[in-house]
Amino acid sequence: MTSEKVKKHYPRPPISLIESNIPGWGVDIYIGGSTGVADAELLEKHNIKVVLNCAVNLDIDLVHSEEPNTPEHLLKHGSARVRYYKIGLIDGPGNPESMVLAGYHLMRSALDQELPEKASYKVREKGNILVNCRGGRSRSVTIVALFLHLEYPDRYPTLDAAIAHIRKTRELHPDEWFETPKPALIHLAERAASMEKLLRDAGFGQDMKKK
């Protein structure tokens, strides 16, 4: 069964709650696809203030007001209703080995970041986080699973345990588990977990931890 057929036969919500009130940050984690992240009302309803886009082949225009006096030759730019971060993963083979690890650190750093009291930083509330890719079933699952495993090893002692939890909360059908996430991404996440643990053993990696 092809990936497109899987998507057609097994629909899922635009966004799904994966974890509530996570220790250390007190926010909720959501995973979603392109339709969910592009729905401003849905983001507001769930108090989502941080969006991490994991897809290299998906761009979302979240700008809701253009800066004044924008030259006509420039594309629309300005502030959004959320803080928007992106790491461009391929959904399958082809990603550098360190890229999934970078995704974990970007997710964690987005939660830790403290914005200054300046007018140009319009969204300073912590709020909840949405991690998305095109379908919300592979790349975003990989990054969130790695985050859960590394941050909460007592609850998710293995990467597989975190993936199993997300498959359930994201409502991924068992018939599509063979590619949710893609095997190449699972392999990179396993390598990323090993690399992060080595960094921690050497005294790096968790200096900003708030737990």
Side-chain angles (χ1 to χ4, degrees):
M1 183 176 287
T2 67
S3 178
E4 289 302 316
K5 288 182 179 178
V6 168
K7 292 176 186 177
K8 180 178 179 181
H9 285 290
Y10 304 116
R12 61 199 63 83
I15 67 172
S16 302
L17 177 63
I18 306 302
E19 282 287 348
S20 299
N21 194 28
I22 57 172
W25 291 279
V27 302
D28 300 341
I29 299 175
Y30 290 83
I31 287 178
S34 56
T35 57
V37 71
D39 188 334
E41 291 184 0
L42 187 63
L43 301 185
E44 184 175 358
K45 176 183 177 182
H46 294 282
N47 193 34
I48 291 169
K49 299 298 182 182
V50 178
V51 169
L52 171 56
N53 181 355
C54 299
V56 69
N57 56 342
L58 176 69
D59 291 304
I60 306 295
D61 181 7
L62 295 171
V63 176
H64 73 280
S65 62
E66 293 186 38
E67 295 295 328
N69 305 316
T70 302
E72 292 183 1
H73 69 283
L74 294 180
L75 297 176
K76 187 167 64 172
H77 67 92
S79 63
R81 294 181 174 89
V82 298
R83 297 187 299 282
Y84 183 53
Y85 305 82
K86 182 170 181 178
I87 184 163
L89 289 169
I90 298 166
D91 191 17
N95 297 296
E97 188 173 59
S98 59
M99 205 163 190
V100 168
L101 180 59
Y104 156 70
H105 279 288
L106 182 56
M107 180 176 175
R108 194 174 188 283
S109 297
L111 294 172
D112 277 338
Q113 192 174 45
E114 300 285 349
L115 274 72
E117 294 283 340
K118 293 177 64 176
S120 57
Y121 296 93
K122 298 183 184 300
V123 181
R124 289 188 292 273
E125 309 96 312
K126 284 297 180 182
N128 300 320
I129 182 170
L130 169 65
V131 182
N132 79 276
C133 52
R134 185 174 294 277
R137 59 197 293 276
S138 183
R139 288 169 282 191
S140 52
V141 172
T142 300
I143 297 301
V144 174
L146 181 60
F147 177 89
L148 293 179
H149 168 52
L150 290 173
E151 294 298 320
Y152 311 110
D154 291 343
R155 194 182 310 175
Y156 303 104
T158 65
L159 182 68
D160 285 344
I163 291 173
H165 170 74
I166 295 172
R167 283 170 172 164
K168 180 179 179 180
T169 53
R170 182 64 182 132
E171 300 180 35
L172 300 173
H173 194 281
D175 286 353
E176 60 180 338
W177 288 358
F178 72 96
E179 63 172 4
T180 56
K182 295 291 196 307
L185 292 176
I186 294 176
H187 172 70
L188 290 183
E190 291 170 343
R191 292 283 296 162
S194 297
M195 286 188 283
E196 176 63 16
K197 291 167 186 176
L198 286 172
L199 286 170
R200 293 179 183 182
D201 288 344
F204 301 98
Q206 288 189 301
D207 55 314
M208 293 182 68
K209 190 139 186 168
K210 298 183 177 180
K211 291 193 274 297

